[in-house]
PDB file of all heavy atoms in Angstrom:
ATOM      1  N   ASN T  64      -9.028  19.520   6.979  1.00 89.00           N
ATOM      2  CA  ASN T  64     -10.004  19.337   5.926  1.00 89.00           C
ATOM      3  C   ASN T  64      -9.826  20.460   4.912  1.00 89.00           C
ATOM      4  O   ASN T  64      -9.964  21.634   5.266  1.00 89.00           O
ATOM      5  CB  ASN T  64     -11.424  19.322   6.513  1.00 89.00           C
ATOM      6  CG  ASN T  64     -12.438  18.990   5.472  1.00 89.00           C
ATOM      7  OD1 ASN T  64     -12.178  18.298   4.495  1.00 89.00           O
ATOM      8  ND2 ASN T  64     -13.666  19.467   5.686  1.00 89.00           N
ATOM      9  N   PHE T  65      -9.484  20.095   3.699  1.00 88.00           N
ATOM     10  CA  PHE T  65      -9.194  21.102   2.667  1.00 88.00           C
ATOM     11  C   PHE T  65      -8.201  22.136   3.186  1.00 88.00           C
ATOM     12  O   PHE T  65      -8.394  23.338   3.084  1.00 88.00           O
ATOM     13  CB  PHE T  65     -10.487  21.805   2.216  1.00 88.00           C
ATOM     14  CG  PHE T  65     -11.397  20.934   1.417  1.00 88.00           C
ATOM     15  CD1 PHE T  65     -12.471  20.279   2.026  1.00 88.00           C
ATOM     16  CD2 PHE T  65     -11.208  20.758   0.065  1.00 88.00           C
ATOM     17  CE1 PHE T  65     -13.325  19.465   1.300  1.00 88.00           C
ATOM     18  CE2 PHE T  65     -12.063  19.945  -0.691  1.00 88.00           C
ATOM     19  CZ  PHE T  65     -13.116  19.300  -0.061  1.00 88.00           C
ATOM     20  N   LYS T  66      -7.125  21.642   3.775  1.00 88.00           N
ATOM     21  CA  LYS T  66      -5.981  22.418   4.275  1.00 88.00           C
ATOM     22  C   LYS T  66      -6.282  23.209   5.553  1.00 88.00           C
ATOM     23  O   LYS T  66      -5.378  23.840   6.091  1.00 88.00           O
ATOM     24  CB  LYS T  66      -5.454  23.387   3.208  1.00 88.00           C
ATOM     25  CG  LYS T  66      -5.043  22.786   1.897  1.00 88.00           C
ATOM     26  CD  LYS T  66      -4.377  23.799   1.002  1.00 88.00           C
ATOM     27  CE  LYS T  66      -5.315  24.947   0.672  1.00 88.00           C
ATOM     28  NZ  LYS T  66      -4.646  25.969  -0.194  1.00 88.00           N
ATOM     29  N   GLU T  67      -7.496  23.193   6.011  1.00 89.00           N
ATOM     30  CA  GLU T  67      -7.826  23.950   7.211  1.00 89.00           C
ATOM     31  C   GLU T  67      -7.876  22.995   8.412  1.00 89.00           C
ATOM     32  O   GLU T  67      -8.485  21.924   8.350  1.00 89.00           O
ATOM     33  CB  GLU T  67      -9.177  24.618   7.056  1.00 89.00           C
ATOM     34  CG  GLU T  67      -9.233  25.656   5.919  1.00 89.00           C
ATOM     35  CD  GLU T  67      -8.264  26.790   6.153  1.00 89.00           C
ATOM     36  OE1 GLU T  67      -8.134  27.241   7.310  1.00 89.00           O
ATOM     37  OE2 GLU T  67      -7.622  27.220   5.174  1.00 89.00           O
ATOM     38  N   GLN T  68      -7.274  23.427   9.506  1.00 88.00           N
ATOM     39  CA  GLN T  68      -7.314  22.614  10.698  1.00 88.00           C
ATOM     40  C   GLN T  68      -8.715  22.668  11.303  1.00 88.00           C
ATOM     41  O   GLN T  68      -9.212  23.754  11.599  1.00 88.00           O
ATOM     42  CB  GLN T  68      -6.290  23.090  11.734  1.00 88.00           C
ATOM     43  CG  GLN T  68      -6.182  22.179  12.950  1.00 88.00           C
ATOM     44  CD  GLN T  68      -5.182  22.641  13.982  1.00 88.00           C
ATOM     45  OE1 GLN T  68      -5.510  22.860  15.140  1.00 88.00           O
ATOM     46  NE2 GLN T  68      -3.942  22.840  13.572  1.00 88.00           N
ATOM     47  N   THR T  69      -9.312  21.528  11.470  1.00 86.00           N
ATOM     48  CA  THR T  69     -10.661  21.470  12.022  1.00 86.00           C
ATOM     49  C   THR T  69     -10.696  20.846  13.408  1.00 86.00           C
ATOM     50  O   THR T  69     -11.717  20.877  14.083  1.00 86.00           O
ATOM     51  CB  THR T  69     -11.588  20.666  11.093  1.00 86.00           C
ATOM     52  OG1 THR T  69     -11.036  19.364  10.913  1.00 86.00           O
ATOM     53  CG2 THR T  69     -11.749  21.353   9.752  1.00 86.00           C
ATOM     54  N   GLU T  70      -9.570  20.273  13.824  1.00 84.00           N
ATOM     55  CA  GLU T  70      -9.569  19.683  15.155  1.00 84.00           C
ATOM     56  C   GLU T  70      -8.131  19.645  15.704  1.00 84.00           C
ATOM     57  O   GLU T  70      -7.200  19.296  15.005  1.00 84.00           O
ATOM     58  CB  GLU T  70     -10.127  18.262  15.119  1.00 84.00           C
ATOM     59  CG  GLU T  70     -10.283  17.646  16.489  1.00 84.00           C
ATOM     60  CD  GLU T  70     -11.417  16.660  16.550  1.00 84.00           C
ATOM     61  OE1 GLU T  70     -12.177  16.532  15.568  1.00 84.00           O
ATOM     62  OE2 GLU T  70     -11.567  16.012  17.590  1.00 84.00           O
ATOM     63  N   ASN T  71      -8.037  20.045  16.952  1.00 87.00           N
ATOM     64  CA  ASN T  71      -6.800  19.931  17.729  1.00 87.00           C
ATOM     65  C   ASN T  71      -7.221  19.286  19.036  1.00 87.00           C
ATOM     66  O   ASN T  71      -7.918  19.906  19.848  1.00 87.00           O
ATOM     67  CB  ASN T  71      -6.182  21.309  17.952  1.00 87.00           C
ATOM     68  CG  ASN T  71      -4.956  21.257  18.855  1.00 87.00           C
ATOM     69  OD1 ASN T  71      -4.765  20.331  19.610  1.00 87.00           O
ATOM     70  ND2 ASN T  71      -4.118  22.269  18.735  1.00 87.00           N
ATOM     71  N   ASN T  72      -6.795  18.064  19.239  1.00 85.00           N
ATOM     72  CA  ASN T  72      -7.268  17.304  20.374  1.00 85.00           C
ATOM     73  C   ASN T  72      -6.422  17.564  21.618  1.00 85.00           C
ATOM     74  O   ASN T  72      -5.823  16.660  22.191  1.00 85.00           O
ATOM     75  CB  ASN T  72      -7.256  15.818  20.019  1.00 85.00           C
ATOM     76  CG  ASN T  72      -8.036  14.976  21.004  1.00 85.00           C
ATOM     77  OD1 ASN T  72      -8.922  15.475  21.703  1.00 85.00           O
ATOM     78  ND2 ASN T  72      -7.711  13.690  21.081  1.00 85.00           N
ATOM     79  N   SER T  73      -6.365  18.857  22.011  1.00 89.00           N
ATOM     80  CA  SER T  73      -5.622  19.258  23.209  1.00 89.00           C
ATOM     81  C   SER T  73      -4.167  18.805  23.163  1.00 89.00           C
ATOM     82  O   SER T  73      -3.624  18.327  24.160  1.00 89.00           O
ATOM     83  CB  SER T  73      -6.297  18.712  24.468  1.00 89.00           C
ATOM     84  OG  SER T  73      -7.627  19.138  24.549  1.00 89.00           O
ATOM     85  N   VAL T  74      -3.558  18.981  22.019  1.00 94.00           N
ATOM     86  CA  VAL T  74      -2.175  18.564  21.838  1.00 94.00           C
ATOM     87  C   VAL T  74      -1.234  19.666  22.336  1.00 94.00           C
ATOM     88  O   VAL T  74      -1.459  20.850  22.033  1.00 94.00           O
ATOM     89  CB  VAL T  74      -1.887  18.271  20.356  1.00 94.00           C
ATOM     90  CG1 VAL T  74      -0.442  17.816  20.160  1.00 94.00           C
ATOM     91  CG2 VAL T  74      -2.849  17.214  19.825  1.00 94.00           C
ATOM     92  N   PRO T  75      -0.184  19.327  23.072  1.00 94.00           N
ATOM     93  CA  PRO T  75       0.776  20.350  23.542  1.00 94.00           C
ATOM     94  C   PRO T  75       1.386  21.125  22.377  1.00 94.00           C
ATOM     95  O   PRO T  75       1.565  20.589  21.273  1.00 94.00           O
ATOM     96  CB  PRO T  75       1.839  19.535  24.264  1.00 94.00           C
ATOM     97  CG  PRO T  75       1.156  18.245  24.639  1.00 94.00           C
ATOM     98  CD  PRO T  75       0.152  17.990  23.565  1.00 94.00           C
ATOM     99  N   SER T  76       1.728  22.368  22.660  1.00 94.00           N
ATOM    100  CA  SER T  76       2.200  23.257  21.585  1.00 94.00           C
ATOM    101  C   SER T  76       3.581  22.853  21.062  1.00 94.00           C
ATOM    102  O   SER T  76       4.014  23.397  20.022  1.00 94.00           O
ATOM    103  CB  SER T  76       2.254  24.700  22.110  1.00 94.00           C
ATOM    104  OG  SER T  76       3.126  24.787  23.217  1.00 94.00           O
ATOM    105  N   ARG T  77       4.265  21.931  21.700  1.00 95.00           N
ATOM    106  CA  ARG T  77       5.542  21.457  21.171  1.00 95.00           C
ATOM    107  C   ARG T  77       5.345  20.638  19.899  1.00 95.00           C
ATOM    108  O   ARG T  77       6.306  20.316  19.213  1.00 95.00           O
ATOM    109  CB  ARG T  77       6.319  20.665  22.225  1.00 95.00           C
ATOM    110  CG  ARG T  77       5.598  19.476  22.791  1.00 95.00           C
ATOM    111  CD  ARG T  77       6.444  18.862  23.929  1.00 95.00           C
ATOM    112  NE  ARG T  77       5.846  17.665  24.465  1.00 95.00           N
ATOM    113  CZ  ARG T  77       5.002  17.646  25.494  1.00 95.00           C
ATOM    114  NH1 ARG T  77       4.620  18.797  26.057  1.00 95.00           N
ATOM    115  NH2 ARG T  77       4.525  16.498  25.953  1.00 95.00           N
ATOM    116  N   PHE T  78       4.107  20.296  19.601  1.00 96.00           N
ATOM    117  CA  PHE T  78       3.729  19.679  18.331  1.00 96.00           C
ATOM    118  C   PHE T  78       2.999  20.729  17.498  1.00 96.00           C
ATOM    119  O   PHE T  78       1.964  21.234  17.911  1.00 96.00           O
ATOM    120  CB  PHE T  78       2.801  18.474  18.551  1.00 96.00           C
ATOM    121  CG  PHE T  78       3.427  17.335  19.288  1.00 96.00           C
ATOM    122  CD1 PHE T  78       3.329  17.265  20.669  1.00 96.00           C
ATOM    123  CD2 PHE T  78       4.092  16.325  18.614  1.00 96.00           C
ATOM    124  CE1 PHE T  78       3.905  16.207  21.362  1.00 96.00           C
ATOM    125  CE2 PHE T  78       4.661  15.271  19.280  1.00 96.00           C
ATOM    126  CZ  PHE T  78       4.573  15.200  20.672  1.00 96.00           C
ATOM    127  N   SER T  79       3.529  21.002  16.322  1.00 96.00           N
ATOM    128  CA  SER T  79       2.946  22.033  15.478  1.00 96.00           C
ATOM    129  C   SER T  79       2.676  21.475  14.081  1.00 96.00           C
ATOM    130  O   SER T  79       3.602  21.190  13.330  1.00 96.00           O
ATOM    131  CB  SER T  79       3.907  23.232  15.390  1.00 96.00           C
ATOM    132  OG  SER T  79       3.424  24.194  14.484  1.00 96.00           O
ATOM    133  N   PRO T  80       1.415  21.308  13.704  1.00 96.00           N
ATOM    134  CA  PRO T  80       1.117  20.762  12.370  1.00 96.00           C
ATOM    135  C   PRO T  80       1.123  21.839  11.306  1.00 96.00           C
ATOM    136  O   PRO T  80       0.949  23.015  11.588  1.00 96.00           O
ATOM    137  CB  PRO T  80      -0.287  20.187  12.572  1.00 96.00           C
ATOM    138  CG  PRO T  80      -0.906  21.098  13.578  1.00 96.00           C
ATOM    139  CD  PRO T  80       0.195  21.539  14.499  1.00 96.00           C
ATOM    140  N   GLU T  81       1.304  21.377  10.077  1.00 96.00           N
ATOM    141  CA  GLU T  81       1.233  22.286   8.929  1.00 96.00           C
ATOM    142  C   GLU T  81       0.685  21.507   7.747  1.00 96.00           C
ATOM    143  O   GLU T  81       1.105  20.393   7.479  1.00 96.00           O
ATOM    144  CB  GLU T  81       2.644  22.808   8.579  1.00 96.00           C
ATOM    145  CG  GLU T  81       2.649  23.738   7.360  1.00 96.00           C
ATOM    146  CD  GLU T  81       4.039  24.066   6.889  1.00 96.00           C
ATOM    147  OE1 GLU T  81       5.025  23.558   7.482  1.00 96.00           O
ATOM    148  OE2 GLU T  81       4.156  24.817   5.914  1.00 96.00           O
ATOM    149  N   CYS T  82      -0.241  22.123   7.048  1.00 96.00           N
ATOM    150  CA  CYS T  82      -0.859  21.454   5.888  1.00 96.00           C
ATOM    151  C   CYS T  82      -0.844  22.442   4.716  1.00 96.00           C
ATOM    152  O   CYS T  82      -1.806  23.205   4.538  1.00 96.00           O
ATOM    153  CB  CYS T  82      -2.270  21.001   6.228  1.00 96.00           C
ATOM    154  SG  CYS T  82      -3.048  19.973   4.971  1.00 96.00           S
ATOM    155  N   PRO T  83       0.178  22.453   3.916  1.00 95.00           N
ATOM    156  CA  PRO T  83       0.288  23.430   2.814  1.00 95.00           C
ATOM    157  C   PRO T  83      -0.678  23.166   1.675  1.00 95.00           C
ATOM    158  O   PRO T  83      -1.037  24.101   0.945  1.00 95.00           O
ATOM    159  CB  PRO T  83       1.737  23.281   2.361  1.00 95.00           C
ATOM    160  CG  PRO T  83       2.121  21.896   2.752  1.00 95.00           C
ATOM    161  CD  PRO T  83       1.378  21.598   4.018  1.00 95.00           C
ATOM    162  N   ASN T  84      -1.071  21.915   1.513  1.00 93.00           N
ATOM    163  CA  ASN T  84      -2.067  21.569   0.486  1.00 93.00           C
ATOM    164  C   ASN T  84      -2.697  20.245   0.891  1.00 93.00           C
ATOM    165  O   ASN T  84      -2.278  19.625   1.862  1.00 93.00           O
ATOM    166  CB  ASN T  84      -1.421  21.478  -0.915  1.00 93.00           C
ATOM    167  CG  ASN T  84      -0.251  20.534  -0.944  1.00 93.00           C
ATOM    168  OD1 ASN T  84      -0.391  19.333  -0.690  1.00 93.00           O
ATOM    169  ND2 ASN T  84       0.932  21.078  -1.235  1.00 93.00           N
ATOM    170  N   SER T  85      -3.688  19.822   0.139  1.00 90.00           N
ATOM    171  CA  SER T  85      -4.458  18.630   0.547  1.00 90.00           C
ATOM    172  C   SER T  85      -3.653  17.339   0.475  1.00 90.00           C
ATOM    173  O   SER T  85      -4.081  16.329   0.999  1.00 90.00           O
ATOM    174  CB  SER T  85      -5.696  18.488  -0.323  1.00 90.00           C
ATOM    175  OG  SER T  85      -6.595  19.537  -0.066  1.00 90.00           O
ATOM    176  N   SER T  86      -2.490  17.386  -0.167  1.00 95.00           N
ATOM    177  CA  SER T  86      -1.705  16.150  -0.334  1.00 95.00           C
ATOM    178  C   SER T  86      -0.578  16.009   0.697  1.00 95.00           C
ATOM    179  O   SER T  86      -0.028  14.924   0.825  1.00 95.00           O
ATOM    180  CB  SER T  86      -1.079  16.083  -1.734  1.00 95.00           C
ATOM    181  OG  SER T  86      -2.073  16.082  -2.721  1.00 95.00           O
ATOM    182  N   HIS T  87      -0.244  17.091   1.365  1.00 97.00           N
ATOM    183  CA  HIS T  87       0.915  17.072   2.267  1.00 97.00           C
ATOM    184  C   HIS T  87       0.535  17.530   3.666  1.00 97.00           C
ATOM    185  O   HIS T  87      -0.240  18.474   3.835  1.00 97.00           O
ATOM    186  CB  HIS T  87       2.036  17.977   1.732  1.00 97.00           C
ATOM    187  CG  HIS T  87       2.639  17.494   0.464  1.00 97.00           C
ATOM    188  ND1 HIS T  87       2.097  17.803  -0.781  1.00 97.00           N
ATOM    189  CD2 HIS T  87       3.716  16.707   0.215  1.00 97.00           C
ATOM    190  CE1 HIS T  87       2.827  17.238  -1.728  1.00 97.00           C
ATOM    191  NE2 HIS T  87       3.809  16.570  -1.157  1.00 97.00           N
ATOM    192  N   LEU T  88       1.119  16.847   4.613  1.00 97.00           N
ATOM    193  CA  LEU T  88       0.894  17.191   6.027  1.00 97.00           C
ATOM    194  C   LEU T  88       2.214  17.035   6.761  1.00 97.00           C
ATOM    195  O   LEU T  88       2.923  16.035   6.569  1.00 97.00           O
ATOM    196  CB  LEU T  88      -0.160  16.267   6.627  1.00 97.00           C
ATOM    197  CG  LEU T  88      -0.610  16.533   8.056  1.00 97.00           C
ATOM    198  CD1 LEU T  88      -1.307  17.884   8.163  1.00 97.00           C
ATOM    199  CD2 LEU T  88      -1.548  15.412   8.529  1.00 97.00           C
ATOM    200  N   PHE T  89       2.537  18.026   7.568  1.00 98.00           N
ATOM    201  CA  PHE T  89       3.770  17.974   8.349  1.00 98.00           C
ATOM    202  C   PHE T  89       3.439  18.044   9.843  1.00 98.00           C
ATOM    203  O   PHE T  89       2.396  18.577  10.244  1.00 98.00           O
ATOM    204  CB  PHE T  89       4.680  19.167   7.995  1.00 98.00           C
ATOM    205  CG  PHE T  89       5.184  19.144   6.576  1.00 98.00           C
ATOM    206  CD1 PHE T  89       4.445  19.761   5.568  1.00 98.00           C
ATOM    207  CD2 PHE T  89       6.387  18.540   6.256  1.00 98.00           C
ATOM    208  CE1 PHE T  89       4.897  19.750   4.256  1.00 98.00           C
ATOM    209  CE2 PHE T  89       6.840  18.519   4.943  1.00 98.00           C
ATOM    210  CZ  PHE T  89       6.086  19.123   3.947  1.00 98.00           C
ATOM    211  N   LEU T  90       4.349  17.507  10.638  1.00 98.00           N
ATOM    212  CA  LEU T  90       4.273  17.663  12.084  1.00 98.00           C
ATOM    213  C   LEU T  90       5.637  18.144  12.545  1.00 98.00           C
ATOM    214  O   LEU T  90       6.608  17.402  12.495  1.00 98.00           O
ATOM    215  CB  LEU T  90       3.870  16.354  12.748  1.00 98.00           C
ATOM    216  CG  LEU T  90       3.571  16.440  14.248  1.00 98.00           C
ATOM    217  CD1 LEU T  90       2.382  17.340  14.508  1.00 98.00           C
ATOM    218  CD2 LEU T  90       3.318  15.053  14.831  1.00 98.00           C
ATOM    219  N   HIS T  91       5.689  19.418  12.970  1.00 97.00           N
ATOM    220  CA  HIS T  91       6.947  20.003  13.423  1.00 97.00           C
ATOM    221  C   HIS T  91       7.088  19.760  14.920  1.00 97.00           C
ATOM    222  O   HIS T  91       6.123  19.978  15.687  1.00 97.00           O
ATOM    223  CB  HIS T  91       6.958  21.512  13.113  1.00 97.00           C
ATOM    224  CG  HIS T  91       6.746  21.820  11.658  1.00 97.00           C
ATOM    225  ND1 HIS T  91       7.595  21.377  10.668  1.00 97.00           N
ATOM    226  CD2 HIS T  91       5.765  22.526  11.040  1.00 97.00           C
ATOM    227  CE1 HIS T  91       7.165  21.798   9.495  1.00 97.00           C
ATOM    228  NE2 HIS T  91       6.059  22.500   9.685  1.00 97.00           N
ATOM    229  N   LEU T  92       8.266  19.303  15.295  1.00 96.00           N
ATOM    230  CA  LEU T  92       8.531  18.903  16.668  1.00 96.00           C
ATOM    231  C   LEU T  92       9.615  19.771  17.279  1.00 96.00           C
ATOM    232  O   LEU T  92      10.660  19.988  16.635  1.00 96.00           O
ATOM    233  CB  LEU T  92       8.991  17.436  16.694  1.00 96.00           C
ATOM    234  CG  LEU T  92       8.209  16.451  15.821  1.00 96.00           C
ATOM    235  CD1 LEU T  92       8.920  15.110  15.808  1.00 96.00           C
ATOM    236  CD2 LEU T  92       6.780  16.313  16.286  1.00 96.00           C
ATOM    237  N   HIS T  93       9.413  20.226  18.497  1.00 94.00           N
ATOM    238  CA  HIS T  93      10.482  20.979  19.172  1.00 94.00           C
ATOM    239  C   HIS T  93      10.316  20.846  20.670  1.00 94.00           C
ATOM    240  O   HIS T  93       9.214  20.815  21.203  1.00 94.00           O
ATOM    241  CB  HIS T  93      10.476  22.422  18.740  1.00 94.00           C
ATOM    242  CG  HIS T  93       9.243  23.190  19.111  1.00 94.00           C
ATOM    243  ND1 HIS T  93       9.133  23.978  20.252  1.00 94.00           N
ATOM    244  CD2 HIS T  93       8.040  23.274  18.515  1.00 94.00           C
ATOM    245  CE1 HIS T  93       7.927  24.516  20.297  1.00 94.00           C
ATOM    246  NE2 HIS T  93       7.245  24.102  19.261  1.00 94.00           N
ATOM    247  N   THR T  94      11.482  20.754  21.332  1.00 93.00           N
ATOM    248  CA  THR T  94      11.557  20.584  22.790  1.00 93.00           C
ATOM    249  C   THR T  94      10.632  19.481  23.287  1.00 93.00           C
ATOM    250  O   THR T  94       9.809  19.667  24.201  1.00 93.00           O
ATOM    251  CB  THR T  94      11.279  21.900  23.548  1.00 93.00           C
ATOM    252  OG1 THR T  94       9.957  22.377  23.223  1.00 93.00           O
ATOM    253  CG2 THR T  94      12.302  22.938  23.197  1.00 93.00           C
ATOM    254  N   LEU T  95      10.738  18.327  22.655  1.00 93.00           N
ATOM    255  CA  LEU T  95       9.905  17.193  23.057  1.00 93.00           C
ATOM    256  C   LEU T  95      10.395  16.575  24.361  1.00 93.00           C
ATOM    257  O   LEU T  95      11.520  16.815  24.802  1.00 93.00           O
ATOM    258  CB  LEU T  95       9.877  16.135  21.966  1.00 93.00           C
ATOM    259  CG  LEU T  95       9.221  16.524  20.647  1.00 93.00           C
ATOM    260  CD1 LEU T  95       9.017  15.290  19.780  1.00 93.00           C
ATOM    261  CD2 LEU T  95       7.894  17.246  20.867  1.00 93.00           C
ATOM    262  N   GLN T  96       9.550  15.759  24.933  1.00 94.00           N
ATOM    263  CA  GLN T  96       9.843  15.048  26.177  1.00 94.00           C
ATOM    264  C   GLN T  96       9.978  13.546  25.895  1.00 94.00           C
ATOM    265  O   GLN T  96       9.404  13.053  24.912  1.00 94.00           O
ATOM    266  CB  GLN T  96       8.719  15.282  27.192  1.00 94.00           C
ATOM    267  CG  GLN T  96       8.453  16.764  27.474  1.00 94.00           C
ATOM    268  CD  GLN T  96       9.671  17.455  28.072  1.00 94.00           C
ATOM    269  OE1 GLN T  96      10.250  16.935  29.017  1.00 94.00           O
ATOM    270  NE2 GLN T  96      10.051  18.568  27.506  1.00 94.00           N
ATOM    271  N   PRO T  97      10.656  12.814  26.746  1.00 93.00           N
ATOM    272  CA  PRO T  97      10.769  11.366  26.515  1.00 93.00           C
ATOM    273  C   PRO T  97       9.414  10.664  26.391  1.00 93.00           C
ATOM    274  O   PRO T  97       9.297   9.710  25.606  1.00 93.00           O
ATOM    275  CB  PRO T  97      11.543  10.889  27.756  1.00 93.00           C
ATOM    276  CG  PRO T  97      12.388  12.060  28.145  1.00 93.00           C
ATOM    277  CD  PRO T  97      11.524  13.264  27.848  1.00 93.00           C
ATOM    278  N   GLU T  98       8.409  11.156  27.070  1.00 93.00           N
ATOM    279  CA  GLU T  98       7.096  10.504  26.990  1.00 93.00           C
ATOM    280  C   GLU T  98       6.416  10.744  25.636  1.00 93.00           C
ATOM    281  O   GLU T  98       5.359  10.154  25.348  1.00 93.00           O
ATOM    282  CB  GLU T  98       6.169  10.976  28.114  1.00 93.00           C
ATOM    283  CG  GLU T  98       5.902  12.475  28.141  1.00 93.00           C
ATOM    284  CD  GLU T  98       6.826  13.212  29.087  1.00 93.00           C
ATOM    285  OE1 GLU T  98       7.967  12.748  29.293  1.00 93.00           O
ATOM    286  OE2 GLU T  98       6.398  14.262  29.602  1.00 93.00           O
TER     287      GLU T  98
END
Side-chain angles (χ1 to χ4, degrees):
Chain T
N64 186 27
F65 290 97
K66 304 188 299 179
E67 298 298 319
Q68 186 180 123
T69 57
E70 186 150 354
N71 176 339
N72 194 23
S73 302
V74 180
S76 60
R77 57 185 184 269
F78 296 91
S79 174
E81 178 189 2
C82 188
N84 55 61
S85 293
S86 299
H87 294 85
L88 184 65
F89 295 89
L90 188 63
H91 304 300
L92 316 172
H93 63 97
T94 60
L95 294 192
Q96 304 299 310
E98 60 264 29

